[in-house]
DNA sequence: CTGAAAGCGCTTACAG
DNA sequence: CTGAAAGCGCTTACAG
């Protein structure tokens, strides 16, 4: 039966030393403090035997840092964010950090709340896929001196670390690919959100079309209102396909739009790869398994997570000035 | 410009009252403490104007609870766990709780570590999809008196709250369905993990087959070793299909096996719904989008999350005795 | 080589 | 109606 020890005091009492000594040993400062080998071993032995773990809360209160990174995304159940969450978790864990997460549902109000909540929890760093309108709140935490890394969503007016992908280029290449295939009636199915990411996805598409010299009318941009249910989206897209039967290529600007879109196409007599080329943003098993397989613009999850965590720890260790940096990673066009 | 206030002391000073008074007002105990209306309003005004938020860490240290629920799963990026995580987050948030998560990769060792880490962070409750071998560690936190709810994975030797689904019944019904379709060469593709959940999935299948009076040899159970890569799994399943060409129905015991399995079937000349019926555990868009659509055994995510959170808060409010309860929810067989 | 003591920011039993 | 003070479990500057 091991001796229960609930606090550093118990350990100190058992070892007949002060809590100061125990604390130094626990924090690996025994050598620098010239604590005798005998004492170190005695204390360490008691700590091991008792299974004592320092109370992180007390430590946090004293030191001001929590070893926790706050992660704020739109929806943790979204495969993109879930994937990032997992990778961040792994990488943070290796450095002794844990992750606390929350979903904003793309609401600035909720984002503000979460930031405040995280602040009161003394998180050491923030990783945020921000909703529009959260600029002021994010500015505040930056001013607090805490590391902040934004990702996925770009907020142009904020001078802060950002990790994202080159959406313009991705859409541009997708559209170019359609054109090279000989397609002439391209459609972009996108969402009506006024966020940089989405705007760039449209701009890249439009630019490629413009460069091709196609008449404007030959290309079409459908903006599905944010929050439209899956059924309504499908109805809307089926209608579109019927009204524009000449459509021969579709780029879906988001993953969930692609899923609705594929379900919509199933309801028509259009055959993918025969009547219609399709490319979807954000790759997943779902596109690999689809018959036929669907080409996709794959965000480099691993690289994104790497860049985020690298930035976070750079800032946490605060070596040199905190150089603000925008990292733009390339999207991979996976043709199938 | 609002007045910055970093601690309760600042507020107290500004309002010319003691921190005691501020604390009571902040915690809604003003009335019960008979604090004058004038003071309440003055303090509240200052709090609002300054944007002051109490330091949760200090509060935790003092009160012993953190308003944090620890979530331990195999892999937060797995859609099932990500979905549960999201639902738990929502429900917990409404009660002022946040979630901290970690992935175990199904290792008991990692589970132990995480439990200790969470303990040192003073989480108020644990929600765990446990790895085999974590029994002793889970027993410890139960003895600490913290609410613990296990889900997904069942640990028979532990007398603890559990929320899961009726895996036996689900497999049983799936196999019965195959038999009712006239299928006579059923295969179960499962994983070689020695966990209750998986064992039940096999038992339900075998029982249905046995009841049908089919010769044993007519049914086949393939156990893919845990951790086999997707490619190797596919190879293995393609081989199986070639060696047992009479196979006319396959039940996949996990989501990822189904995905590998569907990819494997694509490599053969078998046509689903013509040569072969397929049912997969854990529904998802991926099966709805597949051509043809794949029938699935859908876990009731929402109900699972509901049951978990209900149990957690029941125990947190500790009304009555902590009645240990096993909740077994039915799986829905979605035929397509 | 080691320890007493202050202090992180709260909550709350006690006193008036 | 309100406040002084103890204490949650640590870390660390200071002293010897």
């Amino acid at each position: 039966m091991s001796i229960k020890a609930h606090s550093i005091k118990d350990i100190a009492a058992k070892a007949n030393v002060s809590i100061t000594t125990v604390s130094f040993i626990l924090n690996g400062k025994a050598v620098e403090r010239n604590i005798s080998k005998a004492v170190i071993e005695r204390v360490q032995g008691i700590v091991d035997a008792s299974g004592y773990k320092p109370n992180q809360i007390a430590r946090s209160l004293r030191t001001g840092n929590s070893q926790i990174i706050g992660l704020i995304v739109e929806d943790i159940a979204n495969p993109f964010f879930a994937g990032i969450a997992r990778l961040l978790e792994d990488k943070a864990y290796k450095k002794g950090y844990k992750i606390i997460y929350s979903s904003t549902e793309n609401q600035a109000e909720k984002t503000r709340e979460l930031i405040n909540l995280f602040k009161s929890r003394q998180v050491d760093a923030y990783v945020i896929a921000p909703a529009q309108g959260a600029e002021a709140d994010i500015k505040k935490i930056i001013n607090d001196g805490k590391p902040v890394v934004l990702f996925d969503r770009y907020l142009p007016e904020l001078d802060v670390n950002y990790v994202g992908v080159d959406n313009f280029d991705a859409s541009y290449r997708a559209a170019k690919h359609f054109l090279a295939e000989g397609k002439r009636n391209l459609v972009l199915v996108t969402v009506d959100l006024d966020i940089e990411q989405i705007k760039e996805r449209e701009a890249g598409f439009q630019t490629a079309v413009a460069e091709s010299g196609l008449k404007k009318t030959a290309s079409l941009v459908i903006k599905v209102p944010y929050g439209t249910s899956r059924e309504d989206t499908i109805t809307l897209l089926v209608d579109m396909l019927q009204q524009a039967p000449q459509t021969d290529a579709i780029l879906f600007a988001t993953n969930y739009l692609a899923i609705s879109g594929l379900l919509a196409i199933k309801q028509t007599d259009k055959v993918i790869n025969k009547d219609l080329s399709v490319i979807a943003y954000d790759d997943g098993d779902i596109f690999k398994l689809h018959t036929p397989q669907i080409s996709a613009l794959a965000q480099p999850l691993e690289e994104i997570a790497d860049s985020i965590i690298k930035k976070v720890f750079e800032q946490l260790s605060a070596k040199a000035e905190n150089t603000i940096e925008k990292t733009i990673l390339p999207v991979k066009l996976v043709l199938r």
Side-chain angles (χ1 to χ4, degrees), chain A:
Chain A
M1 181 68 198
S2 67
I3 322 99
K4 271 239 171 157
H6 288 109
S7 83
I8 196 171
K9 231 200 251 169
D10 302 326
I11 302 288
K14 233 150 252 159
N16 261 316
V17 294
S18 73
I19 62 167
T20 306
T21 300
V22 177
S23 175
F24 283 125
I25 293 171
L26 250 27
N27 289 300
K29 295 184 182 164
V31 223
E32 119 196 10
R33 294 279 307 196
N34 292 329
I35 294 173
S36 68
K37 214 165 170 222
V39 169
I40 295 179
E41 277 165 8
R42 181 150 40 97
V43 169
Q44 198 61 59
I46 293 172
V47 167
D48 292 345
S50 67
Y52 164 76
K53 296 277 170 196
N55 181 322
Q56 265 297 334
I57 299 278
R59 184 177 273 177
S60 291
L61 182 59
R62 181 54 225 252
T63 62
N65 45 46
S66 58
Q67 306 285 105
I68 289 183
I69 296 171
L71 172 66
I72 297 180
V73 298
E74 182 183 339
D75 178 3
I76 193 77
N78 171 313
F80 171 70
F81 292 124
I84 293 288
R86 176 59 203 279
L87 290 164
L88 290 180
E89 180 206 336
D90 267 6
K91 293 171 202 293
Y93 183 81
K94 286 182 190 134
K95 308 234 184 188
Y97 282 78
K98 304 230 60 62
I99 309 255
I100 181 169
Y101 70 89
S102 274
S103 307
T104 63
E105 290 157 33
N106 208 28
Q107 294 162 23
E109 185 49 47
K110 186 105 189 272
T111 308
R112 171 207 320 278
E113 243 175 74
L114 293 175
I115 288 178
N116 282 329
L117 233 42
F118 282 7
K119 203 192 295 188
S120 74
R121 288 247 154 70
Q122 315 240 96
V123 304
D124 290 346
Y126 298 80
V127 175
I128 307 179
Q132 216 76 10
E135 287 85 349
D137 297 291
I138 293 173
K139 211 168 275 174
K140 261 188 235 154
I141 46 175
I142 297 173
N143 289 341
D144 286 354
K146 296 286 181 186
V148 176
V149 180
L150 305 189
F151 76 107
D152 193 50
R153 312 296 172 79
Y154 186 63
L155 298 181
E157 57 179 89
L158 239 42
D159 190 31
V160 56
N161 289 293
Y162 171 77
V163 177
V165 298
D166 193 341
N167 289 293
F168 180 96
D169 176 65
S171 286
Y172 180 86
R173 280 188 291 139
K176 281 284 187 194
H177 173 76
F178 286 149
L179 294 163
E181 282 188 317
K183 305 297 179 180
R184 288 298 174 267
N185 294 281
L186 315 193
V187 171
L188 171 70
V189 175
T190 182
V191 55
D192 71 343
L193 286 178
D194 188 33
I195 65 184
E196 285 307 306
Q197 184 195 22
I198 294 300
K199 285 193 280 187
E200 283 177 19
R201 289 178 185 190
E202 180 176 343
F205 176 84
Q206 298 278 30
T207 300
V209 170
E211 286 181 11
S212 75
L214 287 184
K215 282 175 307 194
K216 283 245 169 88
T217 50
S219 85
L220 193 60
V221 174
I222 307 282
K223 299 200 180 186
V224 179
Y226 181 76
T228 303
S229 72
R230 176 175 289 184
E231 287 105 58
D232 291 350
T233 305
I234 292 175
T235 309
L236 193 152
L237 293 176
V238 169
D239 283 358
M240 180 276 284
L241 286 168
Q242 275 155 359
Q243 281 165 36
Q246 72 286 4
T247 299
D248 55 10
I250 306 182
L251 172 61
F252 291 101
T254 79
N255 197 284
Y256 73 87
L257 284 173
I259 292 169
S260 297
L262 291 172
L263 289 167
I265 292 169
K266 279 203 174 197
Q267 295 187 13
T268 70
D269 51 3
K270 291 274 187 186
V271 177
I272 293 177
N273 286 1
K274 191 167 136 273
D275 311 319
L276 200 58
S277 281
V278 169
I279 297 179
Y281 259 90
D282 291 355
D283 200 11
D285 279 334
I286 203 159
F287 300 132
K288 226 170 295 169
L289 263 182
H290 193 271
T291 308
Q293 297 196 335
I294 303 296
S295 299
L297 292 161
Q299 300 211 43
L301 279 199
E302 184 88 39
E303 286 85 344
I304 292 173
D306 266 339
S307 299
I308 291 172
I309 217 75
K310 191 167 140 273
K311 253 315 182 185
V312 166
F313 286 119
E314 249 175 59
Q315 294 202 280
L316 277 175
S317 62
K319 47 183 154 194
E321 289 302 292
N322 276 348
T323 47
I324 300 298
E325 200 179 358
K326 319 270 181 206
T327 306
I328 306 296
L329 299 164
V331 173
K332 202 169 149 203
L333 174 54
V334 184
L335 295 174
R336 301 207 166 90

